[in-house]
């Protein structure tokens, strides 16, 4: 009996269709605020007039539920041919309750049209776990059975959202397996979910999905706070995805133990073209183990890019790294800057690469600034790791693993209360779970709304938390600054929704201005401001432009922002510049 691989047949048909120029509708970057069905009329007409709707690009606009309903009706009639839903940055300023509803409307329209999506891009929409509810419905539906590319970069998913996403994809795989369609089951090729703070549990949940799929060609999950346990789960899943070409785990704490897990999976990835493990705290031993796996004779011939930058790698790894790239004829980029090779180590590295005719692929070779003063020491230290003494090597591995374990343990110990007592960038990043929800729960438990014995209202507790988080929006640590901006946005959104619902806008404005140091509190027992107001004002440059930011609050802020803040006996305003910048933004709204 003759058997056919339906997935491969469909892939060939898709490639043939790709030769035909795409047609579709694009409102990319129009900055439209679509609230009502009437607001969406321009988009609806464009969809209705499109002869063959291959793509719908709504990036850079903001879509409310009613507008989404109107677009969904148009898609129901004209969306049967839609292949690419390009919906990045489409919910700016929306309430957290609006986004899942909007996604549900759009998903219903796609299902009614019997759409078969190939690409879904919802990156840069900070909908968090709440938004995943609407997304889950869409992902589980027949519209996504043919999905090949899923892009969810910078969505603030958190652990909870990551688990919900994983469950939706497993449902999609199961449902598509049951339905008699030409491409069953789900054969996702590209999965992108960077900057989502998935952490170990979220990564482990998604690893289960990857194990089911076996079809992935690109996995990009940078900046997710994943430690070696989560990396180990991912590594095991990678082993059953032999077509993988691109792996990006940049800025996760892989460590030597995670590196060993990845090294075990590398022999199962013969088509690997790009490997990005920059800023992963690999250490010398971790880098050596990975390099040795890449150096296996005849392995990874297609490797084009290798990034091992900012990993505290010492000179003892040089021989292994050079051996790993020596036979890679397709290699165009080797990134090793930000490590601790030492001056002698750098010379040895460059000499070895010259000998193997690979110097041209090496990028800049700047040392890690924090280690640059100890060039000679770095070389000596790391060379000892490469000795033949197995006991010494085991000791180095043990120390590396203990350091990673200590970091992970410290991270798990940070609570909301810990952060509020010491609101540092490090503590914010170490706070596990859905940070926005954690702060909201804290505000409820510490207020009169939660306990009659407490003296402060929910809004007062929440505003003080917002100030301490937003103070980090002036942080020089980019990862912390980005996370602070995301959490601040979510907390302000909840604050204004609560004030509107409970008719406490006036009281909110008063507390808001007090905590910004713009007016004095009548309560002499009120705590002093012990957070960095510069970050608070910087955060408001973006927050004040959001649709949820109340007009009354914006007007009050405009009035009092011009008044100088008194520090000590002399009326001096140390925040004059940042306040002037905020005032300029307010005047332009």
């Amino acid at each position: 009996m003759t058997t056919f691989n339906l997935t491969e047949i469909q892939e060939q048909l898709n490639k043939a269709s790709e030769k035909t120029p795409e047609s579709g509708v694009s409102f990319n970057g129009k900055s439209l605020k679509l609230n009502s069905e009437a607001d969406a009329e321009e988009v609806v007409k464009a969809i209705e007039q499109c002869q063959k709707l291959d793509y719908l690009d709504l990036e850079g606009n903001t879509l409310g539920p009613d507008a989404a309903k109107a677009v969904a009706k148009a898609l129901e009639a004209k969306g049967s041919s839609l292949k690419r839903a390009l919906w990045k940055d489409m919910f700016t300023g929306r309430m957290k309750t609006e986004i899942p509803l909007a996604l549900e409307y759009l998903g219903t329209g796609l299902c009614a049209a019997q759409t078969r999506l190939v690409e879904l891009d919802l990156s840069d929409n900070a909908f968090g776990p709440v938004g995943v509810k609407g997304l889950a419905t869409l992902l589980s539906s027949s519209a996504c059975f043919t999905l090949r590319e899923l892009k969810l970069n910078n969505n603030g998913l958190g652990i909870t959202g990551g688990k919900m996403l994983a469950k939706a994809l497993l449902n999609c795989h199961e449902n598509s397996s049951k339905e008699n369609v030409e491409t069953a089951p789900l054969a996702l090729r590209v999965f992108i979910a960077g900057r989502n703070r998935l952490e170990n549990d979220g990564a482990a949940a998604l690893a289960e999905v990857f194990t089911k799929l076996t079809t992935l060609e690109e996995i990009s999950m940078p900046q997710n706070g994943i430690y070696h346990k989560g990396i180990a789960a991912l590594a095991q899943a990678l082993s059953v995805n032999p077509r993988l070409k691109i792996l990006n785990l940049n800025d996760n704490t892989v460590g030597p133990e995670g590196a060993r897990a990845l090294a075990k999976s590398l022999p199962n990835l013969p088509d690997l073209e790009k490997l990005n493990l920059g800023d992963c705290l690999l250490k010398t031993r971790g880098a050596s183990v990975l390099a040795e796996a890449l150096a296996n004779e005849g392995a990874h011939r297609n490797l084009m890019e290798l990034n091992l930058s900012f990993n505290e790698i010492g000179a003892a790894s040089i021989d292994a790294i050079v051996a790993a790239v020596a036979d890679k004829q397709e290699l165009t980029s080797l990134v090793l800057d930000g490590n601790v090779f030492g001056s002698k180590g750098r010379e040895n590295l460059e000499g070895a690469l010259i000998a193997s005719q690979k110097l041209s692929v090496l990028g800049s070779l700047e040392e890690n600034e924090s280690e640059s003063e100890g060039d000679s020491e770095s070389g000596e230290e790391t060379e000892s790791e490469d000795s033949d003494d197995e006991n010494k090597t085991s000791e180095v591995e043990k120390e590396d693993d203990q350091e990673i374990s200590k970091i992970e343990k410290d991270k798990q110990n940070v609570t909301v209360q810990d952060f509020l007592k010491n609101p540092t960038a490090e503590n914010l990043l170490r706070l596990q779970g859905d940070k926005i929800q954690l702060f909201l729960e804290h505000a409820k438990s510490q207020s009169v709304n939660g306990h009659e014995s407490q003296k402060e209202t929910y809004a007062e507790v929440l505003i003080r938390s917002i100030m301490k988080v937003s103070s980090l929006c002036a942080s020089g640590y980019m990862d912390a600054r980005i996370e602070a901006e995301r959490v601040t946005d979510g907390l302000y959104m909840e604050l204004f929704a609560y004030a509107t619902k409970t008719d406490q806008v006036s009281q909110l404005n008063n507390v808001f201005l007090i905590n910004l140091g713009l007016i004095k509190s009548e309560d002499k027992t009120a705590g002093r401001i012990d957070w960095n107001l510069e970050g608070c004002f910087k955060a408001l440059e973006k927050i004040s432009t959001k649709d949820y930011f109340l007009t009354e609050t914006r007007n009050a802020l405009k009035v009092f922002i011009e008044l100088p803040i008194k520090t000590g006996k002399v009326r001096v305003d140390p925040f004059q510049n940042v306040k002037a910048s905020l005032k300029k933004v307010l005047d332009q709204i």
Side-chain angles (χ1 to χ4, degrees), residues 19-50:
K19 296 178 181 178
T20 306
E22 277 190 324
S23 63
V25 171
S26 176
F27 283 84
N28 188 316
K30 297 289 186 181
S31 299
L32 301 177
K33 293 185 178 181
L34 309 177
N35 297 316
S36 65
E37 292 190 34
D39 293 337
E41 187 175 349
E42 184 180 0
V43 176
V44 169
K45 284 185 177 179
I47 293 173
E48 291 174 344
Q49 293 170 5
C50 185

Side-chain angles (χ1 to χ4, degrees), residues 408-455:
E408 190 164 5
K409 183 178 179 181
D410 290 344
K411 179 177 183 289
Q412 292 172 345
N413 288 338
V414 172
T415 64
V416 169
Q417 289 86 347
D418 294 331
F419 170 79
L420 294 175
K421 289 178 182 177
N422 187 21
T424 64
E426 186 178 22
N427 280 343
L428 180 64
L429 293 178
R430 284 181 174 179
L431 185 60
Q432 283 190 313
D434 183 344
K435 294 183 179 64
I436 295 173
Q437 191 61 38
L438 288 173
F439 280 109
L440 296 180
E441 291 172 357
H442 169 78
K444 184 176 181 181
S445 68
Q446 297 298 312
S447 67
V448 292
N449 307 72
H451 300 281
E452 292 182 3
S453 60
Q454 302 294 344
K455 296 181 179 180

Side-chain angles (χ1 to χ4, degrees), residues 89 91-96 99 124-128 154-156 436 439-440 462 465-467 469-470 473 481-497 539-540 542-549:
D89 190 19
F91 297 112
T92 300
R94 293 295 165 188
M95 303 288 286
K96 64 181 182 181
I99 298 173
D124 299 324
N125 289 301
F127 46 61
N154 191 30
N155 292 125
I436 295 173
F439 280 109
L440 296 180
L462 184 54
S465 295
I466 290 173
M467 293 299 150
V469 174
S470 65
C473 291
R481 186 171 67 249
I482 291 170
E483 183 68 357
E485 289 173 353
R486 183 189 70 81
V487 177
T488 298
D489 187 15
L491 294 179
Y492 265 122
M493 187 184 298
E494 165 64 21
L495 176 67
F496 288 121
L540 286 168
K542 291 183 178 180
I543 298 299
S544 62
T545 66
K546 305 283 188 179
D547 287 346
Y548 65 72
F549 199 89

Side-chain angles (χ1 to χ4, degrees), residues 58 93 183 188 194 209 219 283 416 454:
L58 297 176
T183 57
L188 199 65
V209 178
I219 296 176
K283 300 279 190 171
V416 169
Q454 302 294 344

Side-chain angles (χ1 to χ4, degrees), residues 356-562:
S356 62
Q357 299 183 336
K358 283 289 184 289
L359 184 61
S360 61
V361 303
L362 181 64
S364 64
L365 202 55
E366 297 177 1
E367 291 281 80
N368 185 329
E369 292 181 4
S370 64
E371 304 288 344
S372 60
E373 294 179 2
D375 282 353
S376 60
E377 285 186 16
S378 296
E380 291 170 8
E381 252 180 51
T382 52
E383 282 171 14
S384 67
E385 290 180 29
D386 201 34
S387 68
D388 295 329
D389 187 342
E390 293 182 4
N391 291 331
K392 181 65 176 176
T393 301
S394 298
E395 188 63 29
V396 171
E397 290 183 27
K398 185 178 179 181
E399 289 176 2
D400 284 339
D401 293 343
Q402 285 176 344
E403 182 174 347
I404 299 299
S405 298
K406 182 178 183 299
I407 292 172
E408 190 164 5
K409 183 178 179 181
D410 290 344
K411 179 177 183 289
Q412 292 172 345
N413 288 338
V414 172
T415 64
V416 169
Q417 289 86 347
D418 294 331
F419 170 79
L420 294 175
K421 289 178 182 177
N422 187 21
T424 64
E426 186 178 22
N427 280 343
L428 180 64
L429 293 178
R430 284 181 174 179
L431 185 60
Q432 283 190 313
D434 183 344
K435 294 183 179 64
I436 295 173
Q437 191 61 38
L438 288 173
F439 280 109
L440 296 180
E441 291 172 357
H442 169 78
K444 184 176 181 181
S445 68
Q446 297 298 312
S447 67
V448 292
N449 307 72
H451 300 281
E452 292 182 3
S453 60
Q454 302 294 344
K455 296 181 179 180
E456 292 182 301
T457 66
Y458 175 75
E460 287 173 331
V461 178
L462 184 54
I463 286 177
R464 194 165 62 254
S465 295
I466 290 173
M467 293 299 150
K468 294 195 174 185
V469 174
S470 65
S471 69
L472 296 175
C473 291
S475 172
Y477 183 14
M478 185 178 70
D479 199 19
R481 186 171 67 249
I482 291 170
E483 183 68 357
E485 289 173 353
R486 183 189 70 81
V487 177
T488 298
D489 187 15
L491 294 179
Y492 265 122
M493 187 184 298
E494 165 64 21
L495 176 67
F496 288 121
Y498 172 80
T500 302
K501 182 179 178 180
T502 58
D503 195 24
Q504 295 184 38
V505 175
S506 178
Q507 296 94 313
L508 178 148
N509 289 342
N510 187 59
V511 177
F512 176 65
L513 295 173
I514 289 172
N515 281 273
L516 284 173
L518 298 177
I519 62 175
K520 288 184 176 182
S521 173
E522 295 179 0
D523 183 2
K524 301 300 181 182
T525 63
R528 64 183 180 85
I529 293 176
D530 57 355
W531 47 84
N532 179 12
L533 286 174
E534 181 182 3
C536 301
F537 289 126
K538 278 185 176 293
L540 286 168
E541 288 185 31
K542 291 183 178 180
I543 298 299
S544 62
T545 66
K546 305 283 188 179
D547 287 346
Y548 65 72
F549 199 89
L550 299 177
T551 302
E552 298 96 317
T553 307
R554 189 180 293 121
N555 291 338
L557 188 57
K558 286 177 70 174
V559 171
F560 288 95
I561 196 73
E562 295 180 321

